[in-house]
Amino acid sequence: MLAHYYRELLRFLQGAVRDRDTAADLAQESYARVLAVQQSGETITEPRALLYRTARNLVIDQYRRSEVRGAYAAAEGDPSIDAADLASGPEALEPEVAAMSSQTVDALLTAIGELPLRCREAFILHKFDGLSQSEVARQMGISVTMVERHIKLGIQACRACQERMQGGTDFRPPAAQLRSGK
């Protein structure tokens, strides 16, 4: 059933990665993953959508890997960077960095949790569930303008949280902004 999407998917991937061989590899990997899901017995209601979502995720993963490789290669040519620093692995795996990252995530989740209910719902639907603003508006039964306002307040709450964590200044909570209409 998925076989007739191959050329279409290959064209999509060639446009995304600008390399025919890489696109073919990504298409093959996409098919392999979707077929593995099918063989696991899980029902796939939209095979084309799953195939494209899988391919899109693989393109993103490939881009991230190439960015990391590029940064590593650039660092190798920099005489100011010690060879021991290159061999030590990513900074994100250092215990202090991991702890600070965990604290930041917890603080951001708390800030999001403190948003007014409808504001939090719109923010989560857009930022975490990936819905467009119009899709959020339709699902929540509100205007796109109101969705934009909710998302803006969510972003401001996250920025304020990050500023507090970095020792910056505090500003008015988003709930007060929502009530005042600003």
Side-chain angles (χ1 to χ4, degrees):
M1 174 165 59
L2 293 171
H4 67 278
Y5 298 126
Y6 182 78
R7 287 188 185 184
E8 178 185 339
L9 181 67
L10 190 58
R11 280 192 302 273
F12 165 76
L13 289 167
Q14 284 176 338
V17 298
R18 307 276 189 237
D19 180 337
R20 184 181 178 103
D21 293 333
T22 302
D25 289 344
L26 292 172
Q28 181 178 352
E29 180 65 22
S30 298
Y31 270 92
R33 290 185 183 195
V34 171
L35 288 173
V37 170
Q38 271 185 335
Q39 290 174 350
S40 73
E42 191 172 332
T43 304
I44 301 174
T45 56
E46 296 289 333
R48 182 175 179 263
L50 179 60
L51 186 62
Y52 271 79
R53 172 68 98 185
T54 303
R56 185 177 151 269
N57 289 343
L58 287 170
V59 168
I60 291 168
D61 290 345
Q62 196 241 350
Y63 173 77
R64 287 179 181 154
R65 280 192 303 274
S66 68
E67 286 294 306
V68 169
R69 282 188 206 117
Y72 185 79
E76 281 184 321
D78 188 346
S80 67
I81 296 178
D82 187 8
D85 289 338
L86 290 175
S88 68
E91 186 179 299
L93 297 179
E94 297 294 326
E96 302 85 25
V97 174
M100 286 181 3
S101 177
S102 175
Q103 291 170 352
T104 301
V105 169
D106 289 344
L108 287 170
L109 290 174
T110 299
I112 293 168
E114 292 173 351
L115 291 169
L117 179 62
R118 300 289 283 175
C119 180
R120 180 175 58 236
E121 181 181 1
F123 184 78
I124 289 171
L125 286 171
H126 181 66
K127 292 295 184 181
F128 293 103
D129 294 347
L131 298 182
S132 69
Q133 292 178 357
S134 59
E135 291 170 327
V136 173
R138 194 172 26 260
Q139 184 169 331
M140 292 180 66
I142 59 177
S143 70
V144 173
T145 304
M146 196 66 211
V147 170
E148 290 170 354
R149 188 175 295 160
H150 287 320
I151 292 169
K152 179 181 175 186
L153 291 174
I155 291 170
Q156 288 174 342
C158 290
R159 284 187 183 145
C161 175
Q162 288 177 318
E163 287 178 13
R164 282 191 302 273
M165 300 237 6
Q166 295 170 355
T169 59
D170 215 7
F171 70 76
R172 203 171 65 174
Q177 292 177 12
L178 185 64
R179 284 191 293 273
S180 69
K182 294 183 182 174

